[in-house]
Amino acid sequence: MAKRVVLAYSGGLDTSVAVHWLQKERGLEVVAVACDVGQGGDFDAIRERALAAGAIDAVVIDAREELARDFVIPALQANAMYEGRYPLVSALSRPVIVRHLVEQARIYGADGVAHGCTGKGNDQVRFEVGTRALGPDLEIVAPVRDWGMTREETIDYAERESLPITATRDRIYSIDENLWGRAIECGVIEDPWESPPLDVYTLTNETATEPVEVTISFVAGVPIALNGANLDLVQLIAQLDKIAGACGFGRIDIVENRRVGIKSREVYESPAALALIMAHHDLEALCLERDVMHEKARLEPRFADLIYDGMWYSPLRQAISAFVAETQHHVTGDVRLRFSPGGGAVVAGRRSPFALYDYGLATYDAADTFRHQDAEGYVRIYGLGITTWASRQSDADVGLSK
Ligand code: ARG
């Protein structure tokens, strides 16, 4: 049995109660580790709350750059969207948090890692499989899964034990947020037929009355500038969230297949993520050779599944990332996106110094350089098998109507 654990601490109800519960019910010393992954909030207050709940120490780690560089960039380069629609917001933050949990466990001489996930979700899978990859000797402790209290009962427990919580008894949303977006669950949106009430949204609104155009510049598959101004990725995402979010762009409302077999209704807001993926994907169409692009497209859903399923620290994820990275050397150029009030967005233009688009080959004007005479024989041979097959069939068998 573990004696000391590092707990992935958010400052919310469950993890605050967990600090106390692990100590009281399990006799464990708890080091609270709060990672800033771009969710916002007052981290001094979060640290104080952990200590007030009984943590022997509380650490705050700014993991935003790391999340952007090591996790968001590979995901963007893979155009990663789970089930084609979810840009993996929560799934991408878990491996960076796990990295810090394991690091802090070593620093504090802890022999276990604890998280506040329930038994019904994907996040427990991501925390635990990730921890077993980076720190296989560490015991895993899942207090929220073990105690089986409802939210009401958890609040009752906190009040009985005089814990410093700020939770209300309203039926509220469960929110997970980071720089790549927000995930909203629970409350009224658990009925998939109900439209999400407007109060679920904080990154998107309908304030814009005119379309807005932005230019996103990429170098080797990495977004480096917005409207010509160089920005680091964390800032670029924040600014793009504002511009796109003001047009109502970035809302996702889906029924999603969890790893654990449950279908759940999920609402997300990811203006910058969706915009960057749209722009990046479009630039690839200009810069990637056809076979590379098609093969990459085959791997992308597999990559998204691996991240969703908690397999960031796996050899297949590494191998696919290596392939993706190899494709990005010339994904350099600018993409113009136009957002319309009401949530629409289109790619309005793209250009690249490495464009494989060749005007001479493409044009129907006088500048045409294409060798038209080559086409006749090429097409005859390309279709030769079909020509031979069809000559042996009846007209009806080939598909000619009777
Ligand atoms: N369904 C999403 C995912 O599995 C979002 C999870 C949100 N997590 C949360 N604790 N509210 O990635």
Side-chain angles (χ1 to χ4, degrees), residues 28-76:
L28 291 167
E29 292 178 341
V30 179
V31 177
V33 176
C35 284
D36 180 355
V37 286
Q39 69 271 51
D42 178 348
F43 283 89
D44 290 332
I46 289 174
R47 186 168 182 279
E48 289 308 319
R49 201 173 308 146
L51 294 171
I56 59 165
D57 206 353
V59 191
V60 173
I61 290 154
D62 183 350
R64 287 173 295 175
E65 293 290 340
E66 196 182 345
L67 173 60
R69 182 188 66 230
D70 295 349
F71 300 89
V72 164
I73 289 289
L76 170 61

mmCIF file of all heavy atoms in Angstrom, residues 28-76:
data_model
loop_
_atom_site.group_PDB
_atom_site.id
_atom_site.type_symbol
_atom_site.label_atom_id
_atom_site.label_comp_id
_atom_site.label_asym_id
_atom_site.label_seq_id
_atom_site.Cartn_x
_atom_site.Cartn_y
_atom_site.Cartn_z
ATOM 1 N N LEU A 28 -3.293 8.255 3.760
ATOM 2 C CA LEU A 28 -2.250 8.650 2.810
ATOM 3 C C LEU A 28 -1.859 10.110 2.980
ATOM 4 O O LEU A 28 -2.710 10.963 3.229
ATOM 5 C CB LEU A 28 -2.763 8.469 1.376
ATOM 6 C CG LEU A 28 -2.972 7.036 0.908
ATOM 7 C CD1 LEU A 28 -3.778 7.013 -0.381
ATOM 8 C CD2 LEU A 28 -1.617 6.364 0.695
ATOM 9 N N GLU A 29 -0.578 10.388 2.832
ATOM 10 C CA GLU A 29 -0.155 11.781 2.697
ATOM 11 C C GLU A 29 -0.415 12.205 1.256
ATOM 12 O O GLU A 29 -0.150 11.439 0.324
ATOM 13 C CB GLU A 29 1.348 11.910 2.978
ATOM 14 C CG GLU A 29 1.705 11.647 4.417
ATOM 15 C CD GLU A 29 3.206 11.749 4.642
ATOM 16 O OE1 GLU A 29 3.979 11.667 3.669
ATOM 17 O OE2 GLU A 29 3.593 11.883 5.810
ATOM 18 N N VAL A 30 -0.907 13.430 1.095
ATOM 19 C CA VAL A 30 -1.289 13.886 -0.249
ATOM 20 C C VAL A 30 -0.491 15.131 -0.635
ATOM 21 O O VAL A 30 -0.491 16.129 0.091
ATOM 22 C CB VAL A 30 -2.796 14.201 -0.312
ATOM 23 C CG1 VAL A 30 -3.178 14.706 -1.708
ATOM 24 C CG2 VAL A 30 -3.628 12.973 0.056
ATOM 25 N N VAL A 31 0.172 15.043 -1.788
ATOM 26 C CA VAL A 31 0.773 16.228 -2.401
ATOM 27 C C VAL A 31 -0.131 16.610 -3.567
ATOM 28 O O VAL A 31 -0.356 15.807 -4.475
ATOM 29 C CB VAL A 31 2.199 15.935 -2.922
ATOM 30 C CG1 VAL A 31 2.775 17.158 -3.629
ATOM 31 C CG2 VAL A 31 3.101 15.468 -1.790
ATOM 32 N N ALA A 32 -0.690 17.826 -3.517
ATOM 33 C CA ALA A 32 -1.595 18.260 -4.592
ATOM 34 C C ALA A 32 -0.770 18.872 -5.721
ATOM 35 O O ALA A 32 0.091 19.723 -5.483
ATOM 36 C CB ALA A 32 -2.588 19.276 -4.052
ATOM 37 N N VAL A 33 -1.036 18.440 -6.952
ATOM 38 C CA VAL A 33 -0.344 18.985 -8.120
ATOM 39 C C VAL A 33 -1.389 19.593 -9.056
ATOM 40 O O VAL A 33 -2.240 18.876 -9.593
ATOM 41 C CB VAL A 33 0.465 17.894 -8.856
ATOM 42 C CG1 VAL A 33 1.098 18.463 -10.125
ATOM 43 C CG2 VAL A 33 1.536 17.307 -7.935
ATOM 44 N N ALA A 34 -1.341 20.909 -9.177
ATOM 45 C CA ALA A 34 -2.285 21.604 -10.061
ATOM 46 C C ALA A 34 -1.547 22.056 -11.308
ATOM 47 O O ALA A 34 -0.547 22.760 -11.222
ATOM 48 C CB ALA A 34 -2.893 22.802 -9.341
ATOM 49 N N CYS A 35 -2.005 21.599 -12.466
ATOM 50 C CA CYS A 35 -1.360 21.994 -13.724
ATOM 51 C C CYS A 35 -2.174 23.080 -14.406
ATOM 52 O O CYS A 35 -3.367 22.903 -14.637
ATOM 53 C CB CYS A 35 -1.249 20.796 -14.661
ATOM 54 S SG CYS A 35 0.055 19.665 -14.205
ATOM 55 N N ASP A 36 -1.503 24.156 -14.741
ATOM 56 C CA ASP A 36 -2.133 25.186 -15.564
ATOM 57 C C ASP A 36 -2.005 24.755 -17.019
ATOM 58 O O ASP A 36 -0.913 24.801 -17.593
ATOM 59 C CB ASP A 36 -1.431 26.525 -15.320
ATOM 60 C CG ASP A 36 -2.049 27.647 -16.147
ATOM 61 O OD1 ASP A 36 -2.955 27.366 -16.969
ATOM 62 O OD2 ASP A 36 -1.622 28.805 -15.970
ATOM 63 N N VAL A 37 -3.108 24.308 -17.576
ATOM 64 C CA VAL A 37 -3.115 23.908 -18.987
ATOM 65 C C VAL A 37 -3.924 24.909 -19.814
ATOM 66 O O VAL A 37 -4.358 24.622 -20.920
ATOM 67 C CB VAL A 37 -3.669 22.473 -19.179
ATOM 68 C CG1 VAL A 37 -2.657 21.437 -18.712
ATOM 69 C CG2 VAL A 37 -5.007 22.285 -18.451
ATOM 70 N N GLY A 38 -4.150 26.082 -19.208
ATOM 71 C CA GLY A 38 -4.875 27.135 -19.917
ATOM 72 C C GLY A 38 -6.339 27.205 -19.536
ATOM 73 O O GLY A 38 -7.134 27.829 -20.238
ATOM 74 N N GLN A 39 -6.706 26.582 -18.419
ATOM 75 C CA GLN A 39 -8.119 26.594 -18.010
ATOM 76 C C GLN A 39 -8.516 27.899 -17.333
ATOM 77 O O GLN A 39 -9.700 28.131 -17.102
ATOM 78 C CB GLN A 39 -8.425 25.394 -17.094
ATOM 79 C CG GLN A 39 -7.784 25.414 -15.700
ATOM 80 C CD GLN A 39 -6.415 24.768 -15.684
ATOM 81 O OE1 GLN A 39 -5.566 25.098 -16.481
ATOM 82 N NE2 GLN A 39 -6.173 23.865 -14.751
ATOM 83 N N GLY A 40 -7.521 28.730 -17.029
ATOM 84 C CA GLY A 40 -7.823 29.980 -16.320
ATOM 85 C C GLY A 40 -8.062 29.698 -14.847
ATOM 86 O O GLY A 40 -8.056 28.549 -14.402
ATOM 87 N N GLY A 41 -8.250 30.761 -14.074
ATOM 88 C CA GLY A 41 -8.478 30.577 -12.640
ATOM 89 C C GLY A 41 -7.305 31.118 -11.839
ATOM 90 O O GLY A 41 -6.251 31.430 -12.374
ATOM 91 N N ASP A 42 -7.536 31.185 -10.542
ATOM 92 C CA ASP A 42 -6.558 31.778 -9.631
ATOM 93 C C ASP A 42 -5.765 30.648 -8.979
ATOM 94 O O ASP A 42 -6.241 29.986 -8.063
ATOM 95 C CB ASP A 42 -7.326 32.602 -8.581
ATOM 96 C CG ASP A 42 -6.391 33.224 -7.548
ATOM 97 O OD1 ASP A 42 -5.197 32.852 -7.507
ATOM 98 O OD2 ASP A 42 -6.875 34.073 -6.776
ATOM 99 N N PHE A 43 -4.547 30.443 -9.470
ATOM 100 C CA PHE A 43 -3.778 29.295 -8.995
ATOM 101 C C PHE A 43 -3.219 29.472 -7.585
ATOM 102 O O PHE A 43 -2.946 28.485 -6.910
ATOM 103 C CB PHE A 43 -2.687 28.923 -10.007
ATOM 104 C CG PHE A 43 -3.247 28.176 -11.187
ATOM 105 C CD1 PHE A 43 -3.702 28.852 -12.309
ATOM 106 C CD2 PHE A 43 -3.386 26.799 -11.146
ATOM 107 C CE1 PHE A 43 -4.269 28.170 -13.377
ATOM 108 C CE2 PHE A 43 -3.946 26.104 -12.200
ATOM 109 C CZ PHE A 43 -4.388 26.791 -13.325
ATOM 110 N N ASP A 44 -3.092 30.721 -7.144
ATOM 111 C CA ASP A 44 -2.714 30.924 -5.733
ATOM 112 C C ASP A 44 -3.841 30.426 -4.837
ATOM 113 O O ASP A 44 -3.610 29.734 -3.840
ATOM 114 C CB ASP A 44 -2.448 32.413 -5.448
ATOM 115 C CG ASP A 44 -1.163 32.867 -6.124
ATOM 116 O OD1 ASP A 44 -0.272 32.007 -6.321
ATOM 117 O OD2 ASP A 44 -1.068 34.056 -6.482
ATOM 118 N N ALA A 45 -5.069 30.780 -5.217
ATOM 119 C CA ALA A 45 -6.232 30.346 -4.431
ATOM 120 C C ALA A 45 -6.370 28.822 -4.465
ATOM 121 O O ALA A 45 -6.700 28.192 -3.453
ATOM 122 C CB ALA A 45 -7.501 31.001 -4.971
ATOM 123 N N ILE A 46 -6.092 28.239 -5.628
ATOM 124 C CA ILE A 46 -6.196 26.776 -5.764
ATOM 125 C C ILE A 46 -5.173 26.099 -4.844
ATOM 126 O O ILE A 46 -5.490 25.137 -4.135
ATOM 127 C CB ILE A 46 -5.992 26.361 -7.242
ATOM 128 C CG1 ILE A 46 -7.219 26.788 -8.062
ATOM 129 C CG2 ILE A 46 -5.743 24.862 -7.372
ATOM 130 C CD1 ILE A 46 -7.079 26.572 -9.552
ATOM 131 N N ARG A 47 -3.974 26.658 -4.820
ATOM 132 C CA ARG A 47 -2.918 26.109 -3.965
ATOM 133 C C ARG A 47 -3.316 26.201 -2.483
ATOM 134 O O ARG A 47 -3.195 25.235 -1.726
ATOM 135 C CB ARG A 47 -1.622 26.881 -4.235
ATOM 136 C CG ARG A 47 -0.429 26.309 -3.527
ATOM 137 C CD ARG A 47 0.895 26.872 -4.005
ATOM 138 N NE ARG A 47 1.927 26.173 -3.246
ATOM 139 C CZ ARG A 47 2.280 26.509 -2.008
ATOM 140 N NH1 ARG A 47 1.723 27.555 -1.401
ATOM 141 N NH2 ARG A 47 3.185 25.789 -1.353
ATOM 142 N N GLU A 48 -3.843 27.357 -2.108
ATOM 143 C CA GLU A 48 -4.279 27.556 -0.721
ATOM 144 C C GLU A 48 -5.385 26.571 -0.347
ATOM 145 O O GLU A 48 -5.416 26.033 0.766
ATOM 146 C CB GLU A 48 -4.801 28.993 -0.519
ATOM 147 C CG GLU A 48 -3.720 30.066 -0.556
ATOM 148 C CD GLU A 48 -2.567 29.771 0.400
ATOM 149 O OE1 GLU A 48 -2.839 29.321 1.540
ATOM 150 O OE2 GLU A 48 -1.402 29.955 -0.002
ATOM 151 N N ARG A 49 -6.305 26.338 -1.269
ATOM 152 C CA ARG A 49 -7.419 25.434 -0.996
ATOM 153 C C ARG A 49 -6.916 24.004 -0.758
ATOM 154 O O ARG A 49 -7.406 23.310 0.133
ATOM 155 C CB ARG A 49 -8.408 25.458 -2.170
ATOM 156 C CG ARG A 49 -9.809 24.975 -1.796
ATOM 157 C CD ARG A 49 -10.784 25.180 -2.935
ATOM 158 N NE ARG A 49 -10.752 26.552 -3.441
ATOM 159 C CZ ARG A 49 -10.942 26.907 -4.711
ATOM 160 N NH1 ARG A 49 -11.186 25.988 -5.629
ATOM 161 N NH2 ARG A 49 -10.895 28.167 -5.073
ATOM 162 N N ALA A 50 -5.924 23.605 -1.538
ATOM 163 C CA ALA A 50 -5.369 22.254 -1.358
ATOM 164 C C ALA A 50 -4.735 22.125 0.020
ATOM 165 O O ALA A 50 -4.912 21.113 0.711
ATOM 166 C CB ALA A 50 -4.338 21.970 -2.452
ATOM 167 N N LEU A 51 -4.008 23.154 0.410
ATOM 168 C CA LEU A 51 -3.352 23.109 1.728
ATOM 169 C C LEU A 51 -4.399 23.131 2.840
ATOM 170 O O LEU A 51 -4.295 22.383 3.820
ATOM 171 C CB LEU A 51 -2.381 24.287 1.865
ATOM 172 C CG LEU A 51 -1.171 24.239 0.905
ATOM 173 C CD1 LEU A 51 -0.393 25.551 0.948
ATOM 174 C CD2 LEU A 51 -0.253 23.057 1.240
ATOM 175 N N ALA A 52 -5.431 23.954 2.645
ATOM 176 C CA ALA A 52 -6.492 24.029 3.648
ATOM 177 C C ALA A 52 -7.244 22.705 3.774
ATOM 178 O O ALA A 52 -7.751 22.361 4.843
ATOM 179 C CB ALA A 52 -7.461 25.155 3.293
ATOM 180 N N ALA A 53 -7.304 21.953 2.669
ATOM 181 C CA ALA A 53 -7.981 20.656 2.710
ATOM 182 C C ALA A 53 -7.090 19.591 3.346
ATOM 183 O O ALA A 53 -7.535 18.467 3.583
ATOM 184 C CB ALA A 53 -8.396 20.229 1.301
ATOM 185 N N GLY A 54 -5.817 19.940 3.578
ATOM 186 C CA GLY A 54 -4.955 19.004 4.297
ATOM 187 C C GLY A 54 -3.792 18.439 3.512
ATOM 188 O O GLY A 54 -3.109 17.522 3.986
ATOM 189 N N ALA A 55 -3.537 18.980 2.320
ATOM 190 C CA ALA A 55 -2.390 18.489 1.555
ATOM 191 C C ALA A 55 -1.089 18.824 2.286
ATOM 192 O O ALA A 55 -0.979 19.899 2.885
ATOM 193 C CB ALA A 55 -2.382 19.131 0.163
ATOM 194 N N ILE A 56 -0.117 17.909 2.257
ATOM 195 C CA ILE A 56 1.171 18.209 2.917
ATOM 196 C C ILE A 56 1.958 19.225 2.103
ATOM 197 O O ILE A 56 2.783 19.947 2.621
ATOM 198 C CB ILE A 56 2.043 16.946 3.170
ATOM 199 C CG1 ILE A 56 2.373 16.217 1.864
ATOM 200 C CG2 ILE A 56 1.364 16.014 4.171
ATOM 201 C CD1 ILE A 56 3.507 15.210 2.010
ATOM 202 N N ASP A 57 1.677 19.288 0.822
ATOM 203 C CA ASP A 57 2.226 20.369 0.004
ATOM 204 C C ASP A 57 1.352 20.493 -1.249
ATOM 205 O O ASP A 57 0.586 19.576 -1.577
ATOM 206 C CB ASP A 57 3.688 20.093 -0.377
ATOM 207 C CG ASP A 57 4.448 21.401 -0.655
ATOM 208 O OD1 ASP A 57 3.798 22.478 -0.681
ATOM 209 O OD2 ASP A 57 5.671 21.339 -0.827
ATOM 210 N N ALA A 58 1.471 21.633 -1.904
ATOM 211 C CA ALA A 58 0.690 21.862 -3.125
ATOM 212 C C ALA A 58 1.582 22.564 -4.128
ATOM 213 O O ALA A 58 2.243 23.552 -3.807
ATOM 214 C CB ALA A 58 -0.540 22.705 -2.814
ATOM 215 N N VAL A 59 1.622 22.015 -5.337
ATOM 216 C CA VAL A 59 2.512 22.522 -6.380
ATOM 217 C C VAL A 59 1.659 23.011 -7.543
ATOM 218 O O VAL A 59 0.706 22.335 -7.938
ATOM 219 C CB VAL A 59 3.423 21.387 -6.920
ATOM 220 C CG1 VAL A 59 4.527 21.943 -7.791
ATOM 221 C CG2 VAL A 59 3.985 20.561 -5.785
ATOM 222 N N VAL A 60 2.014 24.177 -8.083
ATOM 223 C CA VAL A 60 1.341 24.659 -9.288
ATOM 224 C C VAL A 60 2.350 24.649 -10.426
ATOM 225 O O VAL A 60 3.466 25.153 -10.272
ATOM 226 C CB VAL A 60 0.787 26.085 -9.076
ATOM 227 C CG1 VAL A 60 0.245 26.646 -10.389
ATOM 228 C CG2 VAL A 60 -0.302 26.073 -8.005
ATOM 229 N N ILE A 61 1.976 24.054 -11.527
ATOM 230 C CA ILE A 61 2.887 23.950 -12.667
ATOM 231 C C ILE A 61 2.249 24.608 -13.882
ATOM 232 O O ILE A 61 1.120 24.284 -14.246
ATOM 233 C CB ILE A 61 3.199 22.472 -12.967
ATOM 234 C CG1 ILE A 61 4.066 21.905 -11.837
ATOM 235 C CG2 ILE A 61 3.927 22.322 -14.298
ATOM 236 C CD1 ILE A 61 3.947 20.434 -11.664
ATOM 237 N N ASP A 62 2.987 25.529 -14.487
ATOM 238 C CA ASP A 62 2.497 26.142 -15.726
ATOM 239 C C ASP A 62 2.889 25.233 -16.886
ATOM 240 O O ASP A 62 4.044 25.203 -17.306
ATOM 241 C CB ASP A 62 3.110 27.533 -15.900
ATOM 242 C CG ASP A 62 2.556 28.231 -17.143
ATOM 243 O OD1 ASP A 62 1.857 27.562 -17.944
ATOM 244 O OD2 ASP A 62 2.830 29.428 -17.318
ATOM 245 N N ALA A 63 1.934 24.484 -17.392
ATOM 246 C CA ALA A 63 2.223 23.489 -18.436
ATOM 247 C C ALA A 63 1.683 23.923 -19.796
ATOM 248 O O ALA A 63 1.568 23.108 -20.710
ATOM 249 C CB ALA A 63 1.628 22.141 -18.034
ATOM 250 N N ARG A 64 1.393 25.207 -19.936
ATOM 251 C CA ARG A 64 0.746 25.656 -21.172
ATOM 252 C C ARG A 64 1.640 25.517 -22.409
ATOM 253 O O ARG A 64 1.205 24.986 -23.435
ATOM 254 C CB ARG A 64 0.272 27.106 -21.029
ATOM 255 C CG ARG A 64 -0.939 27.228 -20.118
ATOM 256 C CD ARG A 64 -1.292 28.668 -19.864
ATOM 257 N NE ARG A 64 -0.213 29.332 -19.128
ATOM 258 C CZ ARG A 64 -0.198 30.633 -18.849
ATOM 259 N NH1 ARG A 64 -1.187 31.415 -19.242
ATOM 260 N NH2 ARG A 64 0.812 31.150 -18.167
ATOM 261 N N GLU A 65 2.891 26.010 -22.293
ATOM 262 C CA GLU A 65 3.816 25.908 -23.439
ATOM 263 C C GLU A 65 4.047 24.452 -23.829
ATOM 264 O O GLU A 65 4.094 24.105 -24.999
ATOM 265 C CB GLU A 65 5.185 26.509 -23.069
ATOM 266 C CG GLU A 65 5.188 27.992 -22.840
ATOM 267 C CD GLU A 65 4.982 28.770 -24.138
ATOM 268 O OE1 GLU A 65 5.210 28.203 -25.240
ATOM 269 O OE2 GLU A 65 4.579 29.937 -24.038
ATOM 270 N N GLU A 66 4.197 23.658 -22.798
ATOM 271 C CA GLU A 66 4.475 22.235 -23.014
ATOM 272 C C GLU A 66 3.285 21.544 -23.684
ATOM 273 O O GLU A 66 3.456 20.746 -24.613
ATOM 274 C CB GLU A 66 4.745 21.626 -21.638
ATOM 275 C CG GLU A 66 5.404 20.298 -21.649
ATOM 276 C CD GLU A 66 5.579 19.788 -20.213
ATOM 277 O OE1 GLU A 66 5.446 20.591 -19.253
ATOM 278 O OE2 GLU A 66 5.825 18.584 -20.071
ATOM 279 N N LEU A 67 2.087 21.864 -23.199
ATOM 280 C CA LEU A 67 0.889 21.293 -23.821
ATOM 281 C C LEU A 67 0.832 21.692 -25.293
ATOM 282 O O LEU A 67 0.558 20.865 -26.173
ATOM 283 C CB LEU A 67 -0.369 21.774 -23.072
ATOM 284 C CG LEU A 67 -1.725 21.418 -23.691
ATOM 285 C CD1 LEU A 67 -1.918 19.907 -23.813
ATOM 286 C CD2 LEU A 67 -2.873 22.021 -22.873
ATOM 287 N N ALA A 68 1.114 22.965 -25.551
ATOM 288 C CA ALA A 68 1.045 23.460 -26.930
ATOM 289 C C ALA A 68 2.104 22.783 -27.805
ATOM 290 O O ALA A 68 1.795 22.255 -28.875
ATOM 291 C CB ALA A 68 1.230 24.978 -26.952
ATOM 292 N N ARG A 69 3.328 22.772 -27.331
ATOM 293 C CA ARG A 69 4.458 22.306 -28.140
ATOM 294 C C ARG A 69 4.456 20.786 -28.337
ATOM 295 O O ARG A 69 4.602 20.287 -29.445
ATOM 296 C CB ARG A 69 5.755 22.743 -27.451
ATOM 297 C CG ARG A 69 7.041 22.392 -28.180
ATOM 298 C CD ARG A 69 8.256 22.688 -27.305
ATOM 299 N NE ARG A 69 8.283 21.819 -26.138
ATOM 300 C CZ ARG A 69 8.442 22.241 -24.878
ATOM 301 N NH1 ARG A 69 8.586 23.522 -24.598
ATOM 302 N NH2 ARG A 69 8.454 21.369 -23.876
ATOM 303 N N ASP A 70 4.272 20.061 -27.250
ATOM 304 C CA ASP A 70 4.479 18.607 -27.315
ATOM 305 C C ASP A 70 3.216 17.808 -27.616
ATOM 306 O O ASP A 70 3.308 16.627 -27.953
ATOM 307 C CB ASP A 70 5.060 18.099 -25.976
ATOM 308 C CG ASP A 70 6.447 18.652 -25.707
ATOM 309 O OD1 ASP A 70 7.034 19.254 -26.628
ATOM 310 O OD2 ASP A 70 6.943 18.510 -24.575
ATOM 311 N N PHE A 71 2.060 18.424 -27.444
ATOM 312 C CA PHE A 71 0.824 17.653 -27.605
ATOM 313 C C PHE A 71 -0.107 18.268 -28.656
ATOM 314 O O PHE A 71 -0.581 17.570 -29.546
ATOM 315 C CB PHE A 71 0.129 17.517 -26.242
ATOM 316 C CG PHE A 71 1.006 16.817 -25.229
ATOM 317 C CD1 PHE A 71 1.893 17.521 -24.431
ATOM 318 C CD2 PHE A 71 0.993 15.433 -25.123
ATOM 319 C CE1 PHE A 71 2.741 16.876 -23.527
ATOM 320 C CE2 PHE A 71 1.830 14.774 -24.232
ATOM 321 C CZ PHE A 71 2.703 15.491 -23.429
ATOM 322 N N VAL A 72 -0.332 19.589 -28.546
ATOM 323 C CA VAL A 72 -1.246 20.224 -29.502
ATOM 324 C C VAL A 72 -0.656 20.237 -30.920
ATOM 325 O O VAL A 72 -1.358 19.935 -31.891
ATOM 326 C CB VAL A 72 -1.613 21.652 -29.028
ATOM 327 C CG1 VAL A 72 -2.227 22.465 -30.155
ATOM 328 C CG2 VAL A 72 -2.569 21.572 -27.842
ATOM 329 N N ILE A 73 0.638 20.561 -31.038
ATOM 330 C CA ILE A 73 1.243 20.612 -32.379
ATOM 331 C C ILE A 73 1.181 19.252 -33.089
ATOM 332 O O ILE A 73 0.701 19.170 -34.229
ATOM 333 C CB ILE A 73 2.699 21.152 -32.316
ATOM 334 C CG1 ILE A 73 2.684 22.652 -31.981
ATOM 335 C CG2 ILE A 73 3.462 20.901 -33.603
ATOM 336 C CD1 ILE A 73 2.171 23.544 -33.086
ATOM 337 N N PRO A 74 1.606 18.168 -32.445
ATOM 338 C CA PRO A 74 1.465 16.873 -33.136
ATOM 339 C C PRO A 74 0.009 16.540 -33.486
ATOM 340 O O PRO A 74 -0.257 15.948 -34.530
ATOM 341 C CB PRO A 74 2.012 15.861 -32.121
ATOM 342 C CG PRO A 74 2.894 16.653 -31.217
ATOM 343 C CD PRO A 74 2.331 18.033 -31.157
ATOM 344 N N ALA A 75 -0.919 16.949 -32.626
ATOM 345 C CA ALA A 75 -2.329 16.667 -32.909
ATOM 346 C C ALA A 75 -2.822 17.515 -34.081
ATOM 347 O O ALA A 75 -3.519 17.016 -34.973
ATOM 348 C CB ALA A 75 -3.180 16.928 -31.661
ATOM 349 N N LEU A 76 -2.437 18.779 -34.100
ATOM 350 C CA LEU A 76 -2.828 19.659 -35.213
ATOM 351 C C LEU A 76 -2.242 19.136 -36.523
ATOM 352 O O LEU A 76 -2.919 19.092 -37.556
ATOM 353 C CB LEU A 76 -2.340 21.088 -34.933
ATOM 354 C CG LEU A 76 -2.454 22.073 -36.095
ATOM 355 C CD1 LEU A 76 -3.901 22.263 -36.529
ATOM 356 C CD2 LEU A 76 -1.835 23.425 -35.706
#
